[in-house]
């Protein structure tokens, strides 16, 4: 495994560079950013660590492995982007801490009407806005029990909430989940929960899975949280459900489309909290450090010919189960 070219698109420091480079001492390392990367550099790479623009990967003759810095891989599994013989791995495990804390913050904002009190503050208005809700004893449905969904469930349990998890496969129940079901039970669960948290990727199966009909099943006064992909739900149907008073509100770190047009009606709906896809990113240093550790571990395995972690299944967009 000599003379391989490794392109790194992560904003890492010298210590983090050394932790990656030590795993492939004979390799040539090239450092770029998402902004200054070009097609010719991508075409020379045998390994890429980070997320290049997906269209630059078309016809990359040398590429053997792409390590994403994201959990989602939907742009990279599209037909014609990557040769199916190329190894694709994601950064599952790096984002649970940051995104789960963000979800708790948004949920408390809606439950405690903090956004309304903030608006009142701007108006210099001293006003009691009435009854609020508590996470304690709330039933919280978490659709998607990967690292993000699991970390959110742990925090809900710490607040005294009741956690109901849904995943595609595997009915082995973690300790932080009170009830566990597969995806076919979602419709039965929606009418009985106070919070629906979506932490699933954008795939053919999840596209617009929360339609107008789905929202009708959700319990009156419930909250929707979405941190997976914006196209998992029908944005206009969500707006209708909140504006009508059927839903208490929603917290969205992802929307459809992105970026959200300035003229979209959703901006002006008081009980929909929108953040511009920032709950993850590199907004806390622990995220980047985790991505570096995942990348270094996988580079070590790649050089040795061992199995990598977080391998993405091109047909589903989900990572395959890692074999111990």
């Amino acid at each position: 495994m000599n003379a391989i070219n490794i392109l790194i698109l992560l904003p890492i420091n010298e210590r983090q560079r050394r932790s990656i480079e030590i795993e492939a001492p004979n390799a040539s390392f090239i450092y770029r950013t998402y902004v200054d990367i070009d097609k010719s550099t991508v075409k020379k790479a045998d390994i890429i660590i980070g997320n290049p623009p997906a269209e630059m990967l078309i016809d990359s003759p040398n590429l053997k492995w792409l390590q994403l810095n994201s959990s989602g891989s939907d742009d990279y599994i599209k037909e014609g982007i990557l040769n199916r013989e190329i190894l694709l791995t994601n950064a599952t495990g790096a984002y649970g801490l940051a995104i789960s804390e963000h979800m708790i913050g948004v949920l408390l904002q809606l439950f405690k009407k903090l956004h309304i009190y903030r608006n009142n503050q701007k108006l210099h208005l001293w006003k009691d806005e009435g009854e609020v809700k508590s996470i304690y004893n709330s039933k919280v449905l978490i659709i998607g029990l990967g690292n993000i969904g699991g970390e959110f469930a742990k925090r809900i349990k710490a607040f005294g909430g009741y956690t109901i998890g849904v995943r595609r496969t595997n009915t082995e129940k973690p300790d932080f989940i009170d009830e566990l079901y597969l995806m076919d039970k979602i419709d039965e669960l929606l009418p009985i929960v106070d919070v629906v948290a979506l932490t699933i990727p954008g795939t053919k199966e999840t596209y617009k899975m929360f339609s107008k009909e789905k929202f009708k099943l959700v319990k009156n006064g419930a909250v929707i949280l979405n941190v997976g992909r914006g196209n998992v739900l029908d944005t206009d149907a969500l707006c209708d459900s909140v504006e009508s008073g059927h839903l208490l509100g929603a917290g969205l770190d992802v929307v459809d489309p992105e970026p959200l047009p300035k003229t979209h009606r959703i901006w002006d709906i008081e009980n929909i909290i929108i953040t511009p896809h920032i709950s993850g990113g590199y907004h806390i240093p622990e995220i980047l450090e985790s991505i570096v550790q995942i990348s270094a571990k996988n580079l070590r395995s790649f050089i040795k010919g061992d199995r990598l972690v977080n391998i993405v299944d091109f047909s589903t967009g989900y990572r395959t189960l890692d074999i111990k």
Side-chain angles (χ1 to χ4, degrees):
M1 189 66 69
N2 294 320
I4 58 175
N5 294 313
I6 302 177
L7 172 61
I8 297 185
L9 301 172
L10 304 177
I12 55 179
N13 59 37
E14 285 301 318
R15 177 188 58 80
Q16 292 167 329
R17 286 190 181 195
R18 289 194 298 271
S19 70
I20 292 176
E21 291 179 3
I22 197 172
E23 304 298 346
N26 296 321
S28 174
F29 287 85
I30 305 165
Y31 291 88
R32 294 287 188 276
T33 68
Y34 187 88
V35 175
D36 65 17
I37 188 59
D38 59 85
K39 175 71 174 176
S40 62
T41 305
V42 169
K43 289 188 74 170
K44 294 175 184 176
D46 299 286
I47 295 170
I48 300 176
I49 297 176
N51 290 27
E55 63 275 8
M56 284 191 184
L57 294 167
I58 299 171
D59 299 324
S60 298
N62 299 323
L63 188 61
K64 301 173 182 65
W65 164 43
L66 170 61
Q67 168 67 58
L68 299 176
N69 59 255
S70 61
S71 295
S73 59
D74 35 314
D75 286 343
Y76 300 92
I77 61 172
K78 292 177 181 176
E79 193 67 35
I81 298 297
L82 288 176
N83 184 312
R84 291 304 189 253
E85 294 182 359
I86 294 172
L87 272 173
L88 177 64
T89 55
N90 66 19
T92 294
Y95 292 96
L97 169 64
I99 296 180
S100 63
E101 288 185 350
H102 178 95
M103 294 168 74
I104 290 291
V106 173
L107 180 57
L108 285 171
Q109 184 175 358
L110 288 164
F111 268 15
K112 305 303 181 184
K113 300 181 179 177
L114 299 182
H115 58 302
I116 296 174
Y117 285 110
R118 180 62 176 174
N119 290 341
N120 288 352
Q121 180 179 339
K122 290 181 178 179
L123 297 171
H124 301 185
L125 183 62
W126 186 274
K127 181 185 177 184
D128 187 330
E129 293 291 348
E131 185 176 299
V132 296
K133 302 183 75 170
S134 176
I135 295 177
Y136 179 76
N137 275 343
S138 291
K139 287 187 176 180
V140 179
L141 176 63
I142 303 156
I143 302 176
L145 279 183
N147 175 243
I148 296 167
E151 290 299 317
F152 179 63
K154 292 174 187 177
R155 284 155 179 77
I156 290 293
K157 289 296 291 179
F159 276 92
Y162 188 85
T163 55
I164 303 174
V166 171
R167 56 163 54 127
R168 293 182 310 124
T169 58
N170 186 3
T171 54
E172 185 177 344
K173 187 176 74 64
D175 292 341
F176 50 81
I177 293 294
D178 293 301
E179 298 180 34
L180 179 64
Y181 301 94
L182 298 181
M183 299 288 278
D184 61 346
K185 297 297 183 183
I186 289 176
D187 287 0
E188 298 174 30
L189 297 168
L190 291 177
I192 66 169
V193 298
D194 304 291
V195 179
V196 179
L198 302 169
T199 68
I200 48 180
T203 67
K204 292 178 182 178
E205 289 71 29
T206 63
Y207 181 76
K208 297 288 174 60
M209 73 179 280
F210 267 73
S211 59
K212 182 178 180 180
E213 290 69 29
K214 237 4 169 238
F215 284 121
K216 287 180 180 178
L217 296 175
V218 179
K219 180 180 177 180
N220 190 58
V223 165
I224 302 288
L225 301 176
N226 188 16
V227 295
R229 283 293 181 268
N231 61 16
V232 168
L233 54 79
D234 184 316
T235 305
D236 284 323
L238 173 67
C239 291
D240 291 340
S241 293
V242 176
E243 287 187 316
S244 69
H246 176 63
L247 294 178
L248 170 64
L252 309 176
D253 187 50
V254 289
V255 292
D256 183 30
E258 286 186 14
L260 193 60
K262 290 184 177 182
T263 56
H264 201 291
R265 61 188 280 215
I266 199 170
W267 286 112
D268 298 313
I269 301 177
E270 184 173 58
N271 280 7
I272 296 182
I273 310 299
I274 301 167
T275 49
H277 208 147
I278 48 75
S279 62
Y282 302 132
H283 292 87
I284 62 173
E286 288 84 355
I287 292 178
L288 183 56
E289 185 62 33
S290 293
I291 294 169
V292 170
Q293 291 175 12
I294 292 167
S295 301
K297 179 180 179 181
N298 267 347
L299 181 56
R300 183 188 319 131
S301 297
F302 185 88
I303 296 298
K304 292 171 63 178
D306 294 338
R307 179 181 170 84
L308 280 61
V309 298
N310 292 351
I311 296 174
V312 175
D313 184 336
F314 278 89
S315 64
T316 66
Y318 290 87
R319 66 169 178 157
T320 58
L321 292 177
D322 298 324
I323 300 172
K324 304 283 185 173

